[in-house]
């Protein structure tokens, strides 16, 4: 493992860092550095998802879905008031899993992008 990316991995929570480790194992040091640079710029922090979900109670339901590239679901939340706030309340409890799913998708997309440009 590249020693330059260890501080970046340490800034992530343990579950996210453990999920990234197998992806990073098959890469060269240069690819690992590129991967972490791209991944950290695209990932979503769970606290951001939580704040966007809380904004659904006040002004803009579905914002958490828009920032995780779930545009269709975001529009549905927006026009139905977060399914009359039921969907927003559920997302309030699921904000970490929403962030994990999005970050996992971004990690695999970034890894496949780097594999194509070897």
């Amino acid at each position: 493992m590249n020693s330059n990316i260890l501080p970046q991995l340490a800034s992530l929570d343990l579950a996210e860092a453990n999920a990234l480790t197998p992806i990073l194992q098959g890469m060269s040091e240069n690819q690992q550095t590129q991967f972490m640079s791209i991944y950290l710029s695209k990932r979503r922090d769970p606290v951001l998802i939580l704040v966007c979900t809380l904004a659904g109670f006040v002004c803009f339901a579905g914002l958490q879905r828009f920032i995780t590239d779930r545009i269709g679901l975001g529009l549905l939340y927006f026009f139905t008031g977060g399914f009359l706030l039921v969907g927003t309340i559920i997302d309030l409890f699921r904000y970490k899993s929403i962030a994990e799913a999005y970050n996992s998708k971004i990690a695999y997309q970034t890894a496949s992008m780097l594999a194509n440009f070897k």
Side-chain angles (χ1 to χ4, degrees):
M1 179 91 43
N2 185 355
S3 62
N4 295 333
I5 65 167
L6 290 178
Q8 295 171 335
L9 277 175
S11 69
L12 305 174
D13 67 342
L14 186 60
E16 189 174 1
N18 285 338
L20 291 179
T21 302
I23 296 171
L24 291 168
Q25 291 299 329
M27 296 181 182
S28 68
E29 288 190 12
N30 187 29
Q31 286 177 323
Q32 288 176 355
T33 304
Q34 289 175 341
F35 173 85
M36 287 305 292
S37 174
I38 295 168
Y39 175 75
L40 290 175
S41 69
K42 291 184 175 184
R43 73 178 285 275
R44 297 288 185 245
D45 190 29
V47 175
L48 176 64
I49 303 295
L50 177 62
V51 169
C52 291
T53 303
L54 290 172
F57 288 109
V58 180
C59 59
F60 195 92
L63 186 59
Q64 72 277 14
R65 298 300 180 160
F66 282 109
I67 66 168
T68 57
D69 293 339
R70 304 283 310 269
I71 306 301
L73 197 54
L75 287 171
L76 191 61
Y77 269 55
F78 179 73
F79 288 116
T80 61
F83 299 129
L84 300 175
L85 295 180
V86 173
T88 304
I89 292 170
I90 292 171
D91 283 355
L92 188 61
F93 292 102
R94 296 189 60 237
Y95 73 95
K96 285 186 181 180
S97 64
I98 293 169
E100 278 180 21
Y102 177 78
N103 290 340
S104 176
K105 180 181 86 169
I106 291 300
Y108 285 110
Q109 284 177 353
T110 304
S112 68
M113 181 183 66
L114 288 176
N116 290 335
F117 291 113
K118 273 187 177 180

